[in-house]
Amino acid sequence: MSKLKFVRHPHPAPTPADKRAQLLANPGFGRVFSDHMVTIRYSEGKGWHDARIEQRRPIEMDPASAVLHYAQEVFEGLKAYKTADGGATMFRPRENAKRFRQSAERLAMPELPEEDFLEAIDQLVSIDRDWIPDGDHGSLYIRPFMFANEIFLGVKPSSEYLFIVIASSVGSYFKSGADAVSVWVSPDYTRAAPGGTGAAKCGGNYAASLIAQAEAHKHGCDQVVFLDAAERKWVEELGGMNVFFVFNDGTMSTPPLGGTILPGITRSSLLTLAKDKGIKVREERYSYDQWKADAGSGKLREAFACGTAAVVTPIGTVRAPEGEFKIGNGGSGARTEELKTALVDIQRCRAPDRHKWIHRVF
Ligand SMILES: Cc1ncc(COP(=O)(O)O)c(C=O)c1O
């Protein structure tokens, strides 16, 4: 139980039902927002306080707010789903609460207790329940984040923070829907170095990845794939997704967590589901050269990206400055589809929740 008292100030003029229905008909990703937000403040000496649920609105910031200068900010991303009986669920939200604490620790920020994080997202999903889209591809994407709010121009951990949760009604992440995506192997840019912030979900990681993502688009690819910073050899992850490889002997592999990649909750869930199915998965380094050779020889059958936003998305084409190669037939594969179905069926409450991953909001 959260020890904070959440004070509710419902929106005095929420979006009318017909306007909301229009917005939910084709929401895209990250552009349609619900009516409310949750805020919790932190100040040194006082701790976490002033928890509120109120109408979503612009926040006033002093131009000297620390985050605007030194980027002390962390965030999370998870989805709420509508159930057949009109309820709402979330998938492993405590894992997000835990990763949020770990990200905060790496950025020298105060840790928000997991119970407060969970209560905040539950409160928002409850009050904005009508913003969860229907249908198999729709969900309410929850974005908890916190940033340094002290008014001070000095490089030191802030003494004040603001934690906010907003929500966005979303459809599929990739415009191409379920088709396989193409990825660009960035020759010039890396995402995270040993000892850096790669395992934290902080805004700065994404700011640094944008130029590589723009380069991927310029080369006609959907996403960038990063190699390691030390040797520029090992496949790490995509701009916003982890990656798995499927081999012709039935085994799979995924790059190991070692501080430079984000410990994805989808990644961890797929490792468990694969083990349940008796599939051998190695958490082991895999080089770009080997990837190319194995795709050419047929040893590599499938590759897929995974994350909350993209769920499980097959990788069909890998492009680099020296050329490109296809994986399998360039589309999805049987193992990718099997694991995706197993995951989505649990998330959508169509399959038994053996691992107790489903959190019922109401
Ligand atoms: C860089 C990066 N890797 C991996 C993931 C996948 O993580 P998760 O499965 O927890 O969404 C994300 C998305 O949050 C991400 O931003």
Side-chain angles (χ1 to χ4, degrees):
M1 277 284 284
S2 167
K3 292 202 185 79
L4 289 171
K5 180 173 162 29
F6 287 77
V7 180
R8 268 190 184 220
H9 300 283
H11 199 307
T15 309
D18 56 339
K19 169 104 189 291
R20 191 176 56 236
Q22 250 175 26
L23 291 168
L24 295 194
N26 188 12
F29 199 98
R31 295 199 184 276
V32 172
F33 295 99
S34 69
D35 282 325
H36 295 86
M37 64 181 185
V38 178
T39 58
I40 311 177
R41 292 187 179 275
Y42 178 93
S43 29
E44 233 167 63
K46 200 166 175 187
W48 294 101
H49 63 280
D50 196 13
R52 300 162 180 241
I53 301 116
E54 56 192 7
Q55 79 184 76
R56 185 183 170 279
R57 57 175 172 77
I59 46 176
E60 204 166 81
M61 281 177 91
D62 190 280
S65 279
V67 66
L68 299 177
H69 304 274
Y70 309 115
Q72 212 190 356
E73 187 264 0
V74 294
F75 67 100
E76 267 306 325
L78 69 162
K79 286 173 170 174
Y81 307 93
K82 197 176 261 183
T83 57
D85 61 1
T89 59
M90 286 188 273
F91 184 70
R92 308 188 73 184
R94 189 172 284 279
E95 293 302 308
N96 295 91
K98 191 167 128 200
R99 190 171 63 190
F100 194 67
R101 275 203 302 103
Q102 290 162 349
S103 297
E105 184 193 16
R106 177 62 184 82
L107 275 278
M109 300 166 94
E111 292 177 31
L112 179 70
E114 289 174 19
E115 300 308 331
D116 297 338
F117 179 102
L118 294 170
E119 179 68 20
I121 58 177
D122 267 10
Q123 291 271 358
L124 188 63
V125 173
S126 290
I127 199 163
D128 280 338
R129 58 183 66 191
D130 292 339
W131 289 90
I132 311 176
D134 291 321
D136 230 25
H137 297 289
S139 57
L140 187 64
Y141 184 77
I142 316 292
R143 167 53 56 85
F145 62 108
M146 100 161 121
F147 57 87
N149 208 20
E150 183 179 352
I151 301 165
F152 177 60
L153 294 183
V155 183
K156 65 143 192 116
S158 172
S159 62
E160 291 185 23
Y161 296 88
L162 184 57
F163 169 80
I164 306 184
V165 194
I166 54 173
S168 172
S169 310
V170 301
S172 290
Y173 183 72
F174 287 112
K175 284 198 194 80
S176 49
D179 297 346
V181 295
S182 52
V183 295
W184 168 253
V185 185
S186 179
D188 298 321
Y189 304 109
T190 58
R191 180 183 171 275
T197 55
K201 208 162 163 63
C202 60
N205 285 346
Y206 297 82
S209 77
L210 294 177
I211 190 166
Q213 182 62 33
E215 201 181 66
H217 282 149
K218 212 167 70 197
H219 288 89
C221 293
D222 298 292
Q223 271 280 320
V224 58
V225 57
F226 287 107
L227 302 181
D228 75 294
E231 296 179 70
R232 306 278 182 115
K233 180 175 177 182
W234 309 102
V235 180
E236 297 238 294
E237 64 176 323
L238 274 55
M241 281 148 250
N242 294 117
V243 60
F244 278 82
F245 305 98
V246 182
F247 299 94
N248 63 356
D249 63 357
T251 66
M252 295 173 48
S253 83
T254 189
L257 303 178
T260 57
I261 70 175
L262 194 82
I265 294 156
T266 318
R267 174 188 180 279
S268 131
S269 308
L270 289 169
L271 281 172
T272 302
L273 291 179
K275 274 178 206 139
D276 288 353
K277 288 174 178 290
I279 302 166
K280 195 161 169 245
V281 193
R282 297 175 298 277
E283 292 182 73
E284 121 190 324
R285 299 208 291 181
Y286 191 53
S287 71
Y288 166 68
D289 288 341
Q290 196 64 50
W291 191 7
K292 193 163 137 184
D294 289 348
S297 71
K299 184 175 171 200
L300 180 81
R301 285 274 166 82
E302 305 169 33
F304 62 83
C306 66
T308 298
V311 195
V312 171
T313 301
I315 298 172
T317 306
V318 183
R319 198 166 290 156
E322 73 272 12
E324 69 171 47
F325 60 89
K326 289 225 177 305
I327 299 167
N329 60 7
S332 190
R335 189 64 93 194
T336 303
E337 291 303 316
E338 179 191 354
L339 287 168
K340 179 179 176 173
T341 302
L343 176 70
V344 173
D345 280 354
I346 297 173
Q347 289 174 333
R348 298 279 173 178
C349 300
R350 291 191 293 254
D353 179 22
R354 291 206 180 85
H355 298 285
K356 304 263 178 294
W357 284 342
I358 299 303
H359 167 77
R360 182 119 196 162
V361 185
F362 58 85

